[in-house]
Amino acid sequence: MPQSSAAKLAAESDLFDPVELGPYKLANRIVMAPLTRSRADDAGVPGELQARYYSQRSSAGLIVSEATNISAQGKGYIRTPGIWSPEQVEGWKLTTKAVHEKGGRIFLQLWHVGRVSHPDLQPGGALPVAPSAVRAENQKAYTYDGFKDLVTPRALETDEIPGIVADYARAAKNALDAGFDGVEIHSANGYLLQQFLSDKTNKRTDRYGGSIENRTRIVVEVVDAVTKVWGGDRVGIRIAPLTKFADIGDSNPEPLYRSLVDQINPYNLAYLHVIEGDTGGERNPAGGFDLQLLRRAFNGLYMTNNGYTLELAVEARRKNLADLICFGRPFISNPDLVERLRLGAPLTPADPNTFYAGEEHGYVDYPSL
Ligand code: PHB
């Protein structure tokens, strides 16, 4: 589309207008998606480099941080940051301060990978944990020695689950101490919480498996624990009901996610973040359902994600299909994405070779207009 017609499209949309999210007035409806960049140190401590990266992107209405490990056990990829040690909390303070100095808002994404890990990344070389001993197929672990096959995880004992929920609560408290504006519970993309939700990965026979009520239980417990720290209005949750990412899937996702939404509504969360379709892929996969059902059922703001362009975002607002639109990859290579979209300016393409585990190049050296 020519730059002038893109700018006209942008000018006629409320995408660039302020919007209230919980106690905050966001500058616009554009959100920077959580993006793994694997540039923390080996102890999961972020530093000045992350502060610079996020601060460059602080014109987003909201930034959701890269997925951040709630515990040493929650880690599944090299150099991903954590929020469980005092050093990590101190490291994150550089980022929250830098974003706030530019007037931005940033939520931290709380992450436990579950089975999507490898003994090389686990404390004491232990097996990764999951609801059931079901291995993720077609997926490799990114370890310090390169890509390795995933292993069959160890099924969590029932009496270990309160400890996992407590790890979420501690991480949420640490995020508050680190100066974040809120937290997002990562219940998507085939990681631990979605492993509990999905019947492909949850084969348990205790109160955390079987019925929809049982499979959603840990997620509701995490929401309960995290909102005790933050209140509901500074907490969001991310789901991906139709994704196949990390070999996840459910035989009947519609009633499952309807039930989850009904159960979390009493917590009055700030937003529901929904990945439309398959993560980074097909937006309307076969066997899907109308995700707008979830929007209508949910009582907070609806944030959406997956391959959005200016045109799709403007259309989503015009048809009132979403309140907030998340952009992922475009934010990697366009720190001033909001301004570029508003002007209809060309976007710099991202270099996938620099997505993970590098340093400054491909991270903080993309140009602004
Ligand atoms: C990744 O590190 O590749 C990753 C992390 C979190 C996601 C998706 C992908 O939700």
Side-chain angles (χ1 to χ4, degrees):
M1 162 176 326
Q3 187 164 343
S4 58
S5 38
K8 185 160 174 287
L9 204 60
E12 287 166 359
S13 175
D14 70 358
L15 205 52
F16 303 89
D17 296 343
V19 59
E20 280 178 22
L21 177 78
Y24 305 118
K25 189 170 185 184
L26 307 183
N28 54 68
R29 293 174 182 268
I30 295 170
V31 178
M32 177 178 166
L35 294 157
T36 291
R37 305 304 308 276
S38 286
R39 281 163 165 88
D41 72 12
D42 291 349
V45 179
E48 291 286 356
L49 186 59
Q50 283 74 14
R52 212 176 342 144
Y53 164 78
Y54 284 111
S55 127
Q56 288 174 347
R57 287 155 181 78
S58 53
S59 56
L62 178 68
I63 296 170
V64 182
S65 82
E66 64 205 275
T68 299
N69 309 305
I70 59 157
S71 60
Q73 184 193 63
K75 180 172 178 173
Y77 302 85
I78 65 168
R79 295 184 62 188
T80 46
I83 188 74
W84 47 270
S85 78
E87 294 76 19
Q88 293 162 352
V89 173
E90 289 308 306
W92 276 121
K93 283 181 183 171
L94 304 177
T95 286
T96 57
K97 182 164 176 280
V99 170
H100 291 153
E101 276 171 6
K102 293 248 207 108
R105 295 284 180 196
I106 181 165
F107 278 33
L108 175 109
Q109 196 194 46
L110 299 168
W111 191 33
H112 189 309
V113 298
R115 68 176 184 165
V116 189
S117 186
H118 189 277
D120 286 5
L121 296 159
Q122 290 290 307
L127 284 177
V129 298
S132 305
V134 180
R135 193 173 81 124
E137 304 299 329
N138 310 317
Q139 167 101 10
K140 298 261 186 201
Y142 191 12
T143 76
Y144 290 90
D145 301 319
F147 288 97
K148 293 194 178 175
D149 285 333
L150 291 186
V151 296
T152 301
R154 176 177 73 78
L156 285 160
E157 301 293 339
T158 307
D159 65 9
E160 287 180 278
I161 293 179
I164 302 241
V165 175
D167 287 343
Y168 276 94
R170 181 189 56 181
K173 173 68 171 51
N174 287 344
L176 192 61
D177 293 344
F180 284 94
D181 297 302
V183 289
E184 176 175 290
I185 298 165
H186 193 349
S187 186
N189 292 343
Y191 296 115
L192 183 74
L193 296 181
Q194 194 171 14
Q195 291 160 31
F196 272 91
L197 292 174
S198 306
D199 58 12
K200 187 172 185 181
T201 43
N202 185 340
K203 308 291 180 192
R204 302 178 72 90
T205 55
D206 65 358
R207 54 203 291 273
Y208 291 96
S211 66
I212 284 178
E213 189 190 355
N214 283 355
R215 283 183 280 133
T216 52
R217 188 180 308 280
I218 188 173
V219 182
V220 178
E221 288 177 354
V222 168
V223 168
D224 185 72
V226 169
T227 55
K228 282 199 170 91
V229 176
W230 280 94
D233 64 348
R234 294 185 290 171
V235 175
I237 184 167
R238 190 179 213 209
I239 57 173
L242 305 176
T243 196
K244 300 189 194 75
F245 199 86
D247 196 28
I248 203 71
D250 192 83
S251 60
N252 195 5
E254 184 181 327
L256 172 65
Y257 285 91
R258 274 300 304 268
S259 167
L260 180 65
V261 166
D262 290 344
Q263 292 182 76
I264 63 179
N265 269 339
Y267 294 95
N268 296 310
L269 299 186
Y271 66 83
L272 180 70
H273 183 175
V274 181
I275 299 169
E276 294 176 345
D278 193 16
T279 312
E282 180 68 59
R283 291 171 56 84
N284 296 298
F289 66 97
D290 181 5
L291 296 171
Q292 287 293 310
L293 286 172
L294 300 181
R295 180 175 192 208
R296 289 193 286 275
F298 181 66
N299 62 5
L301 295 195
Y302 187 92
M303 179 191 292
T304 189
N305 190 212
N306 211 17
Y308 272 84
T309 57
L310 174 68
E311 291 77 9
L312 281 172
V314 166
E315 183 190 59
R317 280 306 302 152
R318 189 171 50 77
K319 295 185 177 163
N320 196 21
L321 300 175
D323 301 297
L324 301 165
I325 317 284
C326 236
F327 289 80
R329 287 180 181 215
F331 259 116
I332 290 181
S333 46
N334 298 276
D336 57 345
L337 181 67
V338 173
E339 193 61 4
R340 287 184 192 234
L341 293 177
R342 201 174 59 78
L343 298 174
L347 301 187
T348 306
D351 173 7
N353 295 316
T354 59
F355 281 177
Y356 306 109
E359 301 297 335
E360 296 194 355
H361 179 51
Y363 192 54
V364 291
D365 60 354
Y366 282 110
S368 290
L369 289 176

